[in-house]
Amino acid sequence: MSDNDGKKTLGLRGSGRPGNVKQSFSHGRTKNVVVETKRKRVVVPKPGAAKPGAGSGKVAGDPSRRPAGISDAEMERRMKALQAAKAREVEEAATREAEEKKRAEARERRRQEAETKEREQREAEERARQKAEAEETAKREAEDAAKRAAAEAAAPAPAPSSAPQGRGAPTNKPAPAATPRKADRERDQRNTRGKGRDDGRRSGKLTLGQATGGEGNRHRSMAAMKRKQERARQKAMGGTVEREKVVRDVQLPEAIVVSELANRMAERVGEVVKSLMNMGLMVTQNETIDADTAELIIEEFGHKVVRVSDSDVEDVISEVEDAEKDLKPRPPVITIMGHVDHGKTSLLDAIRDARVVAGEAGGITQHIGAYQVKTEGGTVLSFLDTPGHAAFTSMRSRGAQVTDIVVLVVAADDSVMPQTIEAINHAKAAEVPMIVAINKIDREGADPNKVRAELLQHEVIVEAMSGDVQDVEVSAITGQGLDGLLEAIALQSEILELKANPDRAAQGAVIEAQLDVGRGPVATVLIQTGTLRQGDIFVVGEQYGKVRALINDKGERVKEAGPSVPVEVLGLNGTPEAGDVLNVTETEGQAREIAEYREQAAKDKRAAAGAATTLEQLMQKAKEDEDVAELPILVKTDVQGSAEAIVQAMEKIGNGEVRVRVLHSGVGAITESDVGLAEASGAPIMGFNVRANASARNSANQKGVEIRYYSVIYDLVDDVKAAASGLLSAEIRENFIGYANIKEVFKVTGVGKVAGCLVTEGVARRSAGVRLLRDNVVIHEGTLKTLKRFKDEVAEVQSGQECGMAFENYDDVRADDVIEIFEREEVTRTLD
């Protein structure tokens, strides 16, 4: 058969055109094919180009063979570059050869190490197998010997034959018994006879696990397949590349879970558990180990240990020194301090043109107030108005700690009093400058020089007596000396050169905290540095939160608050303690961790304090308490500072025969749980500026729990003191006679605001006292100016009827407020 198998070859005939080929097929079919003819490439050497094999010297030296337009220096430079390139190629080839040789040596070394390791492993397995066989043989021989001994002992003695034993007489020898080894072999053969057939029958079957490459019922994961492909690829490229060990800094707390430890080291949990088991610790990945054990594991895996403690969570709010260029002037914080009824709040009223005194029960301040005042000259001043009663010692102390200047108010007609001395001590402890404001100089009997002389006894020397403490004579009623007081404050603030950095995370002090029914926990915070903005996440004491709203001293919502600005902060998860420090954090997780750590630390501290008492001390205390009568009480107040002050006052009441024990103190309205606690302990509930809700009132009536309401701390302290001492005289008791809801508020000419009310319970009387409640918190207490039914003035209005009420000297009434009507009567009490 020819090469073309009878097929016609391609030809040029009949095409009629050069470059076309006519191709013929069977059955008379033809096809024209265009043939492309490639021309042979002819390389024409350039003039002056060197021939192969010609020396470089000849080219450089022969100008006729050199390319046109190239000088001798240029040609010499080109030749040097060519020689340098050739030298580099030689060096690179040598380097590649050396690297290849090193890789080959490394592969050979790894191969030898693997062979050595495999050989050692085989030898160890062989030794273990030989040892196991020797032990099995020795055991089997011992069993055979024991069986033979038992068989010989059980075999009967041969009977004497009566026939003569001749030379050719046959002997009656017993047949040899099967040896124990042979019997064992036969038994094994019988046991494995059926199994062998079954194994042979199924040996050729292909299971799904074998088809997919798995072991048993387990299949390879995608990651395992990728690892296998990666190993094959690296092996094809010249061996596996050993990854370098990454040494990590592992943060180690006092206790850590095994799985978390493995995660921080980036090691497998199984390897960590295996290392712990090698140390003799049978633990799982979910169990906790101590720091010393974890440190040994970390060092065994080659990592570095960084010991941390639970208190390190507070490092995120560590103090940062602000650069001098970032500091900007800030308003001064002035604290008004002094004795009760010396005119502190009235003086502040005169400065800021507001009627704050009208909202205080009994005419005294019982909360720390924070206000900002802008003087006529444009200077902004931040004032803290602290209470003057002795029960508010701690509150005044907190006011002095956050202040820049203390204004000590002393009445000219009353001179220096105990709380005045206490205010002086607080100012000295805080190491802040003091300005003495001698108030009430317009009254008869006012003697400012007497005040200056008595201040000398407490090391306060005013400028009028050649001292360095400024003193100003003022009158809150007439306004005399107010300009001089503001000038003295401005002068003192200029001397202090107060500055703060507003462009950083905010930090402030909690002046007061309360639980508002409608708004939740509310804290009055004085910003000390930085700027607090809406949406910031913060931690304050044992509480944390996110700023939901900021409200200034005028009740207006603001977006941010800078240094020396007092604001109410909404968005806390709980009520903080007055005096706690507020710090802004980056994330909510950090704030939560810090708050939980502080809460746990405080709990541990209280537990340690309780556990420190020895058995002898407990027995001695129990013996001393045998004859001591206790008066248990529950205290609920409107703000945290009042609760703290009342508890401190209760601790001071009592002697060796009687004492007062505060079972529980809290902030907010009296609830049903408080009534349950009071019933279990037989204690009355003292409500200070708060009221019980409807369910709590009904529960208290059913269980017979006494709830007493107070608006002035004097009355509460004196009442408890009288009850504890047994000196109970005639008591002013309040009987609640009715409640009324305000539906609408109308403005009447000549009368003011009149509340359109519906009496929902009891009766409303014109002669009775009234309190205005807003969210179960006392807003105002006083008397009625008018009580009208339609257009007529009436003495009383029954339940279910509508009426109009107007308060005496008070106009801040709103719809949905509740009016509480009560009567006072004197009753004689006896101590049960």
Side-chain angles (χ1 to χ4, degrees):
M1 183 179 288
S2 63
D3 295 338
N4 56 9
D5 294 335
K7 295 180 181 180
K8 295 181 180 182
T9 59
L10 299 175
L12 298 174
R13 59 186 197 298
S15 60
R17 287 180 298 174
N20 289 351
V21 176
K22 185 176 182 180
Q23 185 178 6
S24 300
F25 299 94
S26 61
H27 303 288
R29 291 183 296 112
T30 61
K31 182 181 180 182
N32 289 332
V33 180
V34 178
V35 178
E36 180 184 357
T37 305
K38 293 185 177 181
R39 292 182 300 172
K40 184 177 181 180
R41 183 180 180 186
V42 180
V43 180
V44 179
K46 294 181 180 180
K51 293 182 179 180
S56 60
K58 293 179 181 180
V59 175
D62 191 359
S64 62
R65 306 292 297 275
R66 185 184 310 160
I70 298 179
S71 61
D72 295 341
E74 178 66 18
M75 196 66 189
E76 184 177 358
R77 187 182 64 78
R78 291 187 179 185
M79 297 306 299
K80 287 182 179 180
L82 180 62
Q83 292 174 1
K86 290 182 178 180
R88 282 197 301 273
E89 289 180 359
V90 173
E91 292 178 359
E92 290 176 357
T95 303
R96 284 196 300 271
E97 184 178 357
E99 292 178 354
E100 184 64 27
K101 185 176 180 182
K102 289 182 181 179
R103 283 196 294 270
E105 292 176 355
R107 287 196 297 271
E108 183 65 22
R109 184 173 65 255
R110 285 195 294 271
R111 186 183 63 78
Q112 292 178 358
E113 291 177 355
E115 290 178 354
T116 304
K117 186 176 181 180
E118 186 178 358
R119 185 172 60 253
E120 292 176 354
Q121 186 175 0
R122 286 199 302 270
E123 291 176 356
E125 293 177 354
E126 183 66 22
R127 287 195 297 271
R129 186 181 61 78
Q130 292 177 358
K131 184 177 180 181
E133 290 179 355
E135 293 178 354
E136 183 66 23
T137 304
K139 183 178 180 181
R140 193 180 297 114
E141 290 178 355
E143 292 178 355
D144 294 346
K147 290 180 180 179
R148 284 198 299 271
E152 292 175 358
S161 180
S162 58
Q165 304 240 346
R167 182 176 228 180
T171 59
N172 297 326
K173 294 183 179 179
T179 60
R181 184 178 300 174
K182 184 177 180 181
D184 293 340
R185 285 200 300 270
E186 292 176 354
R187 184 174 64 253
D188 294 341
Q189 290 176 2
R190 287 195 302 271
N191 293 336
T192 59
R193 189 172 298 159
K195 297 179 180 178
R197 286 198 303 270
D198 184 67
D199 293 341
R201 181 169 56 86
R202 294 191 59 83
S203 60
K205 301 292 183 180
L206 180 63
T207 63
L208 183 62
Q210 294 172 355
T212 55
E215 298 178 0
N217 292 328
R218 296 182 60 187
H219 305 290
R220 284 180 178 270
S221 63
M222 186 62 67
M225 296 296 294
K226 288 182 178 179
R227 288 195 296 269
K228 183 179 179 181
Q229 294 174 0
E230 182 67 18
R231 287 195 297 269
R233 187 182 65 82
Q234 291 179 354
K235 185 176 181 181
M237 292 179 62
T240 58
V241 179
E242 296 182 358
R243 290 185 298 176
E244 184 179 356
K245 178 73 173 180
V246 179
V247 179
R248 292 178 170 81
D249 294 335
V250 181
Q251 293 186 353
L252 182 60
E254 298 176 359
I256 189 172
V257 181
V258 176
S259 58
E260 178 64 20
L261 177 62
N263 186 25
R264 294 187 182 187
M265 293 191 299
E267 303 286 350
R268 299 189 179 207
V269 180
E271 297 295 331
V272 178
V273 173
K274 184 177 179 181
S275 300
L276 288 168
M277 289 184 176
N278 292 336
M279 295 173 59
L281 297 175
M282 300 300 165
V283 297
T284 62
Q285 63 177 356
N286 297 324
E287 295 187 25
T288 304
I289 58 177
D290 61 314
D292 296 334
T293 304
E295 184 175 357
L296 296 176
I297 296 296
I298 294 172
E299 292 177 351
E300 181 179 346
F301 279 89
H303 300 289
K304 296 180 181 179
V305 180
V306 180
R307 285 289 190 109
V308 296
S309 62
D310 294 339
S311 61
D312 293 341
V313 297
E314 296 200 22
D315 291 344
V316 297
I317 57 172
S318 58
E319 292 291 334
V320 178
E321 286 291 337
D322 295 319
E324 187 67 28
K325 62 180 181 180
D326 298 331
L327 298 179
K328 298 179 182 178
R330 65 172 178 85
V333 180
I334 302 101
T335 301
I336 307 293
M337 305 180 75
H339 191 66
V340 175
D341 199 25
H342 277 202
K344 301 182 297 298
T345 308
S346 300
L347 183 61
L348 184 59
D349 279 350
I351 294 175
R352 73 187 192 108
D353 296 329
R355 298 295 298 167
V356 180
V357 174
E360 299 290 349
I364 66 170
T365 302
Q366 298 177 100
H367 312 99
I368 289 186
Y371 318 99
Q372 267 203 329
V373 176
K374 190 172 184 179
T375 62
E376 295 180 357
T379 305
V380 179
L381 306 176
S382 296
F383 283 91
L384 294 182
D385 182 18
T386 62
H389 189 264
F392 293 90
T393 302
S394 58
M395 294 175 66
R396 283 200 304 279
S397 176
R398 286 196 299 272
Q401 288 172 1
V402 298
T403 190
D404 300 316
I405 301 171
V406 170
V407 175
L408 181 64
V409 179
V410 186
D413 60 343
D414 201 12
S415 192
V416 177
M417 299 300 288
Q419 274 70 55
T420 308
I421 301 172
E422 186 180 353
I424 294 172
N425 295 331
H426 285 314
K428 290 182 178 179
E431 298 180 355
V432 293
M434 184 189 308
I435 298 175
V436 177
I438 305 176
N439 195 16
K440 300 182 181 181
I441 59 171
D442 56 323
R443 288 194 175 185
E444 296 182 2
D447 189 359
N449 292 326
K450 179 183 177 183
V451 175
R452 297 185 179 98
E454 291 187 2
L455 288 175
L456 291 174
Q457 302 176 6
H458 306 286
E459 300 178 357
V460 177
I461 306 173
V462 297
E463 291 180 345
M465 305 188 75
S466 303
D468 54 355
V469 178
Q470 300 183 69
D471 64 311
V472 183
E473 297 181 5
V474 296
S475 172
I477 304 299
T478 62
Q480 178 183 351
L482 294 181
D483 295 337
L485 177 62
L486 294 178
E487 289 178 2
I489 294 173
L491 176 61
Q492 189 65 57
S493 62
E494 289 179 5
I495 295 174
L496 295 176
E497 294 182 355
L498 302 171
K499 293 182 179 180
N501 181 12
D503 303 324
R504 55 164 289 183
Q507 178 178 339
V510 176
I511 303 302
E512 192 55 86
Q514 61 181 344
L515 182 62
D516 195 307
V517 176
R519 301 184 297 173
V522 180
T524 303
V525 180
L526 178 69
I527 307 301
Q528 295 173 307
T529 183
T531 302
L532 184 64
R533 296 177 176 85
Q534 187 173 346
D536 285 348
I537 298 171
F538 62 90
V539 59
V540 49
E542 301 176 19
Q543 312 298 333
Y544 70 96
K546 184 176 181 180
V547 179
R548 194 170 72 241
L550 296 174
I551 301 174
N552 61 11
D553 59 312
K554 300 179 182 65
E556 302 169 349
R557 296 188 67 160
V558 294
K559 295 295 184 181
E560 60 182 24
S564 302
V565 177
V567 288
E568 284 187 344
V569 179
L570 280 70
L572 292 95
N573 69 326
T575 306
E577 297 288 336
D580 289 341
V581 178
L582 181 143
N583 295 97
V584 173
T585 60
E586 295 181 358
T587 62
E588 187 177 354
Q590 293 177 348
R592 187 187 304 108
E593 287 181 359
I594 296 171
E596 290 176 354
Y597 164 72
R598 290 177 177 176
E599 184 179 2
Q600 186 63 36
K603 189 182 299 181
D604 295 343
K605 185 177 181 180
R606 289 192 295 267
T613 306
T614 62
L615 181 60
E616 291 77 6
Q617 292 174 342
L618 287 174
M619 295 180 65
Q620 181 66 24
K621 189 174 183 300
K623 186 177 180 181
E624 294 175 355
D625 293 346
E626 285 181 356
D627 300 330
V628 177
E630 284 187 345
L631 175 63
I633 62 171
L634 272 75
V635 177
K636 294 299 289 289
T637 64
D638 54 345
V639 293
Q640 186 70 34
S642 299
E644 182 181 348
I646 291 173
V647 171
Q648 290 180 357
M650 295 300 103
E651 291 175 352
K652 297 178 181 179
I653 297 175
N655 49 27
E657 298 179 0
V658 66
R659 67 183 172 199
V660 178
R661 182 161 63 97
V662 179
L663 297 177
H664 171 69
S665 64
V667 177
I670 299 172
T671 61
E672 198 169 354
S673 61
D674 298 328
V675 176
L677 177 59
E679 182 200 12
S681 56
I685 301 177
M686 306 295 182
F688 184 74
N689 279 340
V690 295
R691 288 296 179 272
N693 54 35
S695 59
R697 285 199 304 269
N698 296 334
S699 178
N701 293 333
Q702 293 174 2
K703 298 177 181 179
V705 175
E706 183 181 6
I707 301 178
R708 297 188 180 184
Y709 300 128
Y710 298 92
S711 299
V712 180
I713 194 172
Y714 298 133
D715 298 338
L716 191 151
V717 174
D718 295 341
D719 208 3
V720 174
K721 187 181 297 184
S725 61
L727 303 176
L728 299 178
S729 57
E731 172 195 29
I732 305 297
R733 179 171 294 178
E734 295 178 356
N735 294 328
F736 300 104
I737 60 175
Y739 288 94
N741 289 341
I742 299 178
K743 299 298 183 181
E744 289 290 337
V745 179
F746 308 95
K747 289 186 178 180
V748 179
T749 305
V751 179
K753 288 185 178 181
V754 176
C757 306
L758 174 65
V759 180
T760 58
E761 184 178 343
V763 62
R765 291 196 178 97
R766 173 72 177 81
S767 59
V770 289
R771 290 192 184 94
L772 182 64
L773 306 181
R774 188 170 298 158
D775 293 332
N776 288 325
V777 176
V778 178
I779 303 299
H780 172 71
E781 178 180 350
T783 58
L784 290 178
K785 182 192 302 184
T786 180
L787 178 63
K788 289 191 175 184
R789 173 78 174 149
F790 298 108
K791 293 184 179 182
D792 302 325
E793 188 80 16
V794 294
E796 66 179 29
V797 179
Q798 298 296 327
S799 175
Q801 297 180 352
E802 295 181 348
C803 63
M805 295 185 186
F807 292 86
E808 193 78 27
N809 298 327
Y810 191 79
D811 287 335
D812 186 16
V813 291
R814 303 177 188 175
D816 296 330
D817 286 354
V818 178
I819 298 177
E820 183 182 81
I821 305 102
F822 61 93
E823 289 182 345
R824 290 189 175 95
E825 62 177 352
E826 290 188 2
V827 294
T828 304
R829 293 183 298 165
T830 57
L831 184 62
D832 297 332

